[in-house]
Amino acid sequence: MTSAVDRIAIKAKERPGDRIFSTATVVAGSLILAVLAAVALFLFVQSIPAFVAPADAFKGDFSNFWSYVAPLAFGTVWSAFLALLMAVPVAIAVALFISHYAPRKLAQGLGYLIDLLAAVPSVVFGLWGIGVLAPLVQPFYANLVEWFGWFPLFAGPVSGTGRTILTVAIVLAVMVLPIITAICREIFLQTPVLYEEASLALGATRWEMITMAVLPFGRAGIISAAMLGLGRALGETMAVAMVLSPNPEVIFQLLTSQNSNTIAANIALNFPEAHGVGVNILLATGLMLFIITLIVNMIARVIINRRKAFSGAN
């Protein structure tokens, strides 16, 4: 145990730069919490009129705010879930190829190419979804309805334009792909070489080494990357607003012309014309999106904390 004299001596040797840096980090962390609390308080105060608004204040056949926001919350979570379902396996595969299979020059070039996707504006993705992707996949959607129309998710009638919730999910998957890939790649590269060499020395193939050493080590990092991508997908606005043909209902079908809208897209489409309590209603839906994102991140943190003892998170 250090005595009081030793602690005083250590404190006396502390340089001014260390104190400045320590203070700056505390202030920065506190500022983030303060801004987060201020945003939550603002949204809550502005949302109170929406919670007690009469039925005629809502556009459409809605009795109260909760019946209005329920389809939007469903569309937000549904589209983000579909995007994550497509993006995570591809991102993990690309990250493993870059970190453990590709030659160095090819890996660097492919890594830069994937990272460049993060710099493309969401409007460009929206234009790509409308002008290129939707017409391209529409015949495939028609075949899916013809072959698997008995399955509820692929029930018809098929959209004639290709602007469906599945198209939106594909666009969102491409948008979140660079985030998930970049984080997974860095996590995989941090796997201790001793673990990999020990697996190979015991006779494991490269794929067996990856399944026994790399993936268990990076499990918490993969979950964190997926949650960051999910946060991007939940809050995406312009691409969804441009591609999706919204309908104020809870719709599970993936290929029809009627689709559940998302909270962010609904705010972007209706805010310019909103006035009075209509503004409060849109801000209240923003509060719901804030809560959904917070819940998702809390669940991810719980999962990571439970599994960090078996991965590289500790």
Side-chain angles (χ1 to χ4, degrees):
M1 295 180 61
T2 58
S3 63
V5 176
D6 295 333
R7 289 196 296 269
I8 293 174
I10 294 173
K11 188 175 182 180
K13 293 180 181 179
E14 188 177 4
R15 292 176 293 183
D18 295 333
R19 291 195 297 270
I20 294 173
F21 180 77
S22 177
T23 304
T25 54
V26 173
V27 171
S30 303
L31 185 61
I32 291 175
L33 294 177
V35 170
L36 187 64
V39 170
L41 181 62
F42 167 78
L43 290 175
F44 178 76
V45 172
Q46 294 295 323
S47 302
I48 293 177
F51 296 149
V52 296
D56 56 2
F58 302 93
K59 291 183 179 181
D61 187 16
F62 301 104
S63 59
N64 52 43
F65 170 76
W66 302 110
S67 63
Y68 173 78
V69 77
L72 299 176
F74 167 79
T76 302
V77 176
W78 184 230
S79 60
F81 170 76
L82 293 174
L84 216 62
L85 200 62
M86 292 182 283
V88 171
V90 176
I92 294 176
V94 173
L96 285 174
F97 177 75
I98 293 174
S99 60
H100 287 82
Y101 285 94
R104 174 170 295 184
K105 291 185 178 180
L106 178 60
Q108 290 179 348
L110 187 59
Y112 293 147
L113 184 63
I114 296 295
D115 293 340
L116 281 176
L117 289 176
V120 178
S122 59
V123 176
V124 176
F125 281 109
L127 293 173
W128 171 72
I130 294 176
V132 179
L133 182 62
L136 185 64
V137 298
Q138 198 281 330
F140 176 67
Y141 290 170
N143 291 331
L144 281 180
V145 172
E146 182 180 354
W147 297 336
F148 304 104
W150 51 269
F151 191 65
L153 292 180
F154 301 118
V158 65
S159 172
T161 61
R163 297 172 60 180
T164 69
I165 193 70
L166 185 58
T167 304
V168 169
I170 296 174
V171 173
L172 291 177
V174 175
M175 296 180 68
V176 304
L177 185 64
I179 301 174
I180 304 175
T181 302
I183 297 176
C184 290
R185 180 186 63 205
E186 296 303 321
I187 293 295
F188 295 156
L189 288 174
Q190 293 177 12
T191 306
V193 179
L194 181 62
Y195 293 177
E196 299 180 358
E197 292 179 347
S199 300
L200 295 173
L202 291 174
T205 63
R206 182 176 297 186
W207 173 244
E208 290 173 338
M209 178 270 292
I210 289 174
T211 57
M212 291 188 298
V214 178
L215 292 179
F217 177 84
R219 185 180 292 116
I222 294 173
I223 296 174
S224 300
M227 291 304 104
L228 284 176
L230 179 60
R232 170 74 187 276
L234 288 173
E236 179 52 42
T237 304
M238 291 309 301
V240 178
M242 295 171 67
V243 176
L244 196 63
S245 299
N247 194 60
E249 298 178 11
V250 175
I251 301 173
F252 283 92
Q253 285 80 8
L254 301 177
L255 308 176
T256 62
S257 57
Q258 295 182 335
N259 307 275
S260 300
N261 202 0
T262 66
I263 293 176
N266 181 69
I267 294 174
L269 293 173
N270 294 307
F271 200 85
E273 301 176 357
H275 62 278
V277 71
V279 176
N280 300 104
I281 291 173
L282 294 179
L283 290 175
T285 60
L287 177 63
M288 296 301 106
L289 180 59
F290 181 87
I291 294 174
I292 291 173
T293 307
L294 186 63
I295 292 174
V296 167
N297 281 277
M298 291 173 63
I299 294 174
R301 179 53 55 187
V302 171
I303 295 174
I304 292 172
N305 287 338
R306 285 183 176 180
R307 293 182 176 271
K308 68 181 182 180
F310 307 101
S311 66
N314 59 341

